[in-house]
């Protein structure tokens, strides 16, 4: 219905205010005034979906996330069990979760200290020319257990003397311009850094230097220490 207007004679419908809106004190000076809606109580959730978003992941999801983290690292290099545990600990993974992740990775064949030790030993011998004394130190730094290291080293062929001589010959060719004492000192130092020492290194250095001098046209010379 409409209320009567004094000028037009028509009646205007009464104003109905929405919830939360109070009638203004003066219709000419102010519009509708909105009352603030109170905030929900702390911790209140709007619906179940919000609850799922803030909920902690279940245990199985945590283990799966830990496995995924390690799997990404394994794409670039092999890791020992100790290195995996250190990586998970650094990422804030719970110890029980890490234990189950390591167990799962081992069962899948993705994690094996024995296989890693074999790879490292093969690389140390073929690419770096390292001797038996230096290889265990390399594996210890990677966190591999002593018993696993011993098995990997025992599988090596007993050819340190040949490898030491090969290394010494490669180096000796660049040392023929030095006197015997200087050349021998440098050869023995290089062999020691690769894990060769004692009489084995000395014999390899002397033979290699004598061969290098002969090949350079200087004839075979007896290498003596002063």
């Amino acid at each position: 219905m409409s209320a009567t207007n004094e000028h037009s004679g028509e009646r205007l419908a009464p104003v109905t205010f929405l919830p939360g809106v109070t009638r203004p004190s003066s219709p000419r000076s102010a519009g509708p005034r909105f009352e603030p809606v109170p905030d929900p109580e702390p911790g209140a959730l709007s619906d179940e979906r919000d609850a799922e978003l803030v909920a902690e992941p279940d245990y199985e999801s945590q283990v799966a996330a830990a496995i995924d983290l390690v799997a990404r690292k394994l794409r670039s290099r092999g890791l020992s069990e100790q290195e995996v545990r250190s990586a998970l600990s650094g990422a804030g993974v719970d110890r029980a979760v890490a234990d189950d992740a390591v167990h799962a990775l081992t069962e899948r064949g993705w994690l094996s200290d024995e296989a890693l030790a074999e790879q490292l030993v093969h690389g140390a011998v073929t690419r770096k020319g390292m001797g038996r004394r230096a290889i265990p130190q390399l594996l210890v730094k990677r966190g591999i257990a002593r018993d696993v290291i011993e098995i990997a080293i025992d599988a090596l062929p007993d050819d340190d003397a040949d490898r030491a001589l090969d290394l010494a010959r490669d180096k000796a060719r660049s040392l023929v311009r030095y006197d015997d004492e200087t050349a021998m000192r440098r050869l023995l130092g290089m062999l020691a850094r690769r894990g060769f020492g004692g009489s084995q290194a000395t014999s390899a250095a002397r033979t290699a230097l004598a061969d290098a001098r002969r090949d350079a046209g200087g004839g075979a010379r007896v290498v003596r220490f002063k």
Side-chain angles (χ1 to χ4, degrees):
M1 299 181 63
S2 58
T4 302
N5 184 297
E6 60 180 353
H7 298 292
S8 62
E10 295 182 0
R11 296 177 60 84
L12 302 177
V15 177
T16 302
F17 293 95
L18 298 174
V21 181
T22 59
R23 183 183 298 276
S25 58
S26 174
R28 296 180 181 276
S29 61
R33 181 166 57 87
F34 292 89
E35 294 292 341
V37 178
D39 292 332
E41 295 182 2
L45 299 172
S46 59
D47 54 33
E48 294 182 358
R49 184 172 180 275
D50 291 336
E52 293 176 358
L53 292 176
V54 300
E56 290 291 332
D58 58 33
Y59 188 82
E60 290 74 13
S61 297
Q62 294 180 50
V63 173
I67 292 173
D68 183 64
L69 184 152
V70 176
R72 292 198 302 271
K73 292 181 177 294
L74 288 171
R75 294 190 188 112
S76 59
R77 63 175 296 194
L79 296 173
S80 68
E81 180 178 323
Q82 186 181 90
E83 290 172 328
V84 167
R85 291 184 180 279
S86 296
L88 292 176
S89 176
V93 177
D94 182 79
R95 183 170 181 177
V97 173
D99 288 342
D100 283 347
V102 167
H103 179 70
L105 289 163
T106 302
E107 282 194 330
R108 297 178 188 182
W110 295 358
L111 185 63
S112 169
D113 279 6
E114 291 77 8
L116 178 62
E118 291 179 5
Q119 294 172 7
L120 293 174
V121 169
H122 181 266
V125 172
T126 59
R127 295 197 303 272
K128 300 178 181 179
M130 297 175 66
R132 283 176 175 270
R133 295 198 308 175
I135 294 175
Q137 299 172 12
L138 172 66
L139 272 60
V140 167
K141 289 180 180 179
R142 296 296 303 272
I144 297 177
R146 292 282 184 179
D147 58 335
V148 177
I149 294 175
E150 291 176 0
I151 294 173
I153 296 299
D154 289 343
L156 278 174
D158 188 14
D159 60 352
D160 269 18
D162 294 336
R163 286 188 287 117
L165 182 56
D166 288 341
L167 286 170
R169 280 174 171 159
D170 289 341
K171 181 69 173 177
R173 286 193 289 269
S174 65
L175 298 175
V176 292
R177 65 183 183 277
Y178 296 101
D179 62 81
D180 289 344
E181 183 177 3
T182 301
M184 281 294 293
R185 184 174 65 251
R186 297 194 178 191
L187 282 171
L188 290 173
M190 180 273 296
L191 291 171
R193 289 189 296 273
R194 299 293 184 90
F196 302 96
S199 59
Q200 186 179 75
T202 301
S203 175
R206 286 178 173 172
T207 301
L209 185 58
D211 291 346
R213 292 199 186 284
R214 183 177 60 250
D215 293 342
R221 296 174 57 182
V222 177
V223 181
R224 297 189 178 89
F225 289 107
K226 293 183 179 179

